[in-house]
Amino acid sequence: MVPMTADAARADARMTAALTAAKLYYLQDMTMDAIAAELGTSRSSVSRLLTHARETGLVDIRINSPFERVGQLEEQLRRRFRIAAHIVPMSGIVSEVERLERVALTAGRLLSQFVDSNMVVGIAWGSTVGMVSRALVQKETHGTTIVQLNGAGNLQTSGLEYSSEILQRFGRAFGAAVEQFPVPAFFDDPDTRAAMWRERSTRRVLAFQAKTDIAVFGLGSPQSEVPSRVYVGGYLSRDDYRSLREDGAIGDVATVFFRADGSWKDIRLNARSTGLGLDRLRRVPRRVCVVSGAAKAGTLRAAIAAGIVTDVVLDETLARLLVDQA
């Protein structure tokens, strides 16, 4: 056996020391001072050992950027569903409320890029859009109008204060005029809605809705951990819930309900809804859906199947679930 030379012995000893220092620093989170004390050396020597460990490949440091991961997900969603996805990176341990807040914050900033002068921006009130309205970035425009897409009244309240607050925030953010829609969320009788739609004051708002350039909406779902306002705000009776179950509805946009396959036209409650019909919503050039939480995966898939989404702002967990289930 060939005896080890002095140089080889020194190199081997240095490699062993570097390996020990690297394990203590990277795996046990010890400080350089603590490692120096344990190895009986100086802090500068520990620093040189860690540098040696990196340069010789004993340590391989990788940075997994959430933005790179998110970029791949966005591209997958674009290819599979032909939508522009804006994914908010976050860990799986974030609470549902915080998850929604982060998604709403991103949506509020993103809308300042979408909204411009001489546009009509349609707003569907709700818990999610209400949160988005608080995160809007100021952008001065001219000739811009914010229009309410669905009525907000029910047996307990006119809904004007709640919906008006959301619309006014949008109006202030963009220096825009605001057009409210002072009708109930649901009429008792489809004939009443038909009569109301013939009134000149109502037709004026409907004309603005018909010229909508950007629609902003959340997705209502009875399964959501953060309750959708239409399901907890006194808008639906027991008979309404039974009717929706019988018709297979799984969610709504602006109080217009749809099924898992994206169909909606023969859902009975829609005949009494004051929300913008989904066939009309599909004609809006840009349709921005803001949604969070794994519980809304099925509702989002259905909305995409209905063809009512061009842009979606969502959290990373929901985006990954959407891709995996596809």
Side-chain angles (χ1 to χ4, degrees):
M1 184 175 180
V2 179
M4 182 179 293
T5 66
D7 288 342
R10 282 194 296 271
D12 193 51
R14 190 183 185 198
M15 186 72 72
T16 301
L19 182 60
T20 301
K23 288 181 177 179
L24 295 174
Y25 187 75
Y26 292 107
L27 298 182
Q28 298 184 28
D29 293 327
M30 290 179 63
T31 65
M32 288 191 187
D33 289 332
I35 296 171
E38 181 159 325
L39 297 182
T41 187
S42 66
R43 187 180 189 280
S44 59
S45 295
V46 172
S47 178
R48 287 193 293 271
L49 287 173
L50 293 175
T51 299
H52 181 68
R54 291 193 298 270
E55 290 176 347
T56 57
L58 287 175
V59 173
D60 181 15
I61 298 175
R62 299 181 182 182
I63 298 176
N64 296 313
S65 169
F67 299 103
E68 180 179 342
R69 182 177 70 239
V70 160
Q72 294 171 351
L73 268 178
E74 289 176 343
E75 177 60 20
Q76 286 178 297
L77 289 173
R78 186 193 66 78
R79 289 201 314 266
R80 294 189 183 191
F81 300 108
R82 297 188 178 182
I83 57 175
H86 311 273
I87 300 173
V88 183
M90 62 185 71
S91 69
I93 61 173
V94 175
S95 72
E96 291 303 313
V97 172
E98 185 178 355
R99 189 180 301 274
L100 175 57
E101 288 174 345
R102 292 190 192 180
V103 169
L105 180 63
T106 299
R109 293 171 177 173
L110 190 65
L111 285 173
S112 67
Q113 301 174 30
F114 294 164
V115 176
D116 215 331
S117 296
N118 302 312
M119 281 187 170
V120 176
V121 182
I123 303 298
W125 57 263
S127 303
T128 298
V129 176
M131 205 168 286
V132 171
S133 71
R134 294 184 176 88
L136 293 168
V137 176
Q138 294 285 129
K139 179 181 181 180
E140 196 63 31
T141 66
H142 62 269
T144 300
T145 302
I146 309 297
V147 63
Q148 184 176 338
L149 293 182
N150 54 318
N154 60 28
L155 292 176
Q156 301 172 12
T157 174
S158 68
L160 289 177
E161 183 177 353
Y162 173 74
S163 59
S164 175
E165 189 176 356
I166 294 173
L167 267 71
Q168 292 300 334
R169 290 195 198 108
F170 273 89
R172 287 192 296 270
F174 300 112
V178 172
E179 289 290 339
Q180 292 184 253
F181 198 25
V183 295
F186 301 97
F187 284 109
D188 291 335
D189 190 321
D191 292 336
T192 307
R193 188 186 77 161
M196 190 70 181
W197 261 221
R198 291 193 295 268
E199 293 292 322
R200 283 180 296 175
S201 60
T202 305
R203 284 182 3 225
R204 179 176 176 277
V205 179
L206 295 176
F208 275 107
Q209 291 181 356
K211 294 184 289 186
T212 299
D213 297 292
I214 300 175
V216 183
F217 54 89
L219 295 179
S221 170
Q223 286 84 33
S224 175
E225 292 188 38
V226 179
S228 301
R229 190 172 181 88
V230 71
Y231 297 97
V232 298
Y235 289 91
L236 301 173
S237 67
R238 289 184 179 180
D239 288 341
D240 291 333
Y241 279 113
R242 184 177 65 251
S243 175
L244 290 172
R245 285 195 301 271
E246 290 173 354
D247 288 343
I250 68 164
D252 76 282
V253 167
T255 61
V256 177
F257 297 87
F258 50 84
R259 300 184 182 89
D261 63 0
S263 62
W264 73 88
K265 291 185 178 180
D266 56 344
I267 294 177
R268 287 166 288 177
L269 191 56
N270 289 343
R272 298 194 283 113
S273 170
T274 56
L276 189 68
L278 301 191
D279 50 349
R280 293 178 61 196
L281 180 59
R282 289 168 66 172
R283 295 198 292 270
V284 175
R286 172 164 258 157
R287 307 177 296 276
V288 184
C289 175
V290 185
V291 59
S292 71
K296 288 193 175 180
T299 309
L300 177 55
R301 283 198 305 273
I304 293 171
I308 57 175
V309 178
T310 61
D311 293 75
V312 59
V313 187
L314 72 168
D315 64 274
E316 184 180 353
T317 302
L318 176 56
R320 193 169 298 283
L321 188 61
L322 199 64
V323 168
D324 291 344
Q325 292 181 350

